Amino acid sequence: MKLDKNQIDTIDTVLEKLGVVYIDYKYEILDHIATEVEEKMILNDITFEEAFPAVLKKWQPKFKKSSSVLFGYFWEMPEILLNKCIRMYRKKLLLVITGAMVITSGFLLFSSFLRIHLADFFSIATILYSIAISLSIVGYIRIRLSKRKTSHGFLFKQQFLATSLVASQQLYYMNSGFESKNFSSLFSYYIIFIMSLYLLFSVYNLIYYKAHFYELKRMRFLEA
């Protein structure tokens, strides 16, 4: 027994009210719930109005609002979405940190060269930062203006807000002359490590950006 469009729309509306608004996960969850409702209707010979509340009650604990230190405790979402976002973000966070450590370690091999040319290096880094920040701002605005939400868009926005402050601090240090007056290996390595983190995060921001609009396009195609 297949559910009709009105019944699917009813499930969709309930999920929206419960905070399941990221379409890349919402339709996956909707499909699971619809399948369970169909099975319960067939096995127990009951109506949709009887089966849906029973299935929803089973799923209810997964829709409890939760937050995480990864995204900030002020941001709450249904636990089922939060767990999916955390799993996705943790993998990429590990890759970014590992990549930044590798890049910084590479610079350790050229510490004497770096000390002599640190100002030139910071000039190049400032240009890269400026480009990355400009592209991130455009991406952030476009995602904010999107009528529909995705988990990729959420991760982009959270990462953008977190890294913007770091980028501003880095630009200040690199253009204040601080490094030439107070040069130390520890300071330069710290700057390079944070810069590597930011630039690698910018790469993932591009991935999130493309994934967000891919999901919007895919959903428009499926709903057509």
Side-chain angles (χ1 to χ4, degrees), residues 167-180:
S168 299
Q169 180 194 51
Q170 287 285 91
L171 286 172
Y172 168 75
Y173 279 132
M174 289 191 296
N175 293 280
S176 65
F178 179 85
E179 81 290 340
S180 59

Side-chain angles (χ1 to χ4, degrees), residues 36-50:
E36 288 188 29
V37 171
E38 290 168 1
E39 291 174 352
K40 186 172 281 290
M41 290 170 65
I42 294 171
L43 290 175
N44 298 290
D45 192 25
I46 56 178
T47 65
F48 171 81
E49 287 71 22
E50 295 171 304

Side-chain angles (χ1 to χ4, degrees), residues 175-188:
N175 293 280
S176 65
F178 179 85
E179 81 290 340
S180 59
K181 301 171 187 175
N182 302 277
F183 179 88
S184 71
S185 297
L186 182 61
F187 173 78
S188 60

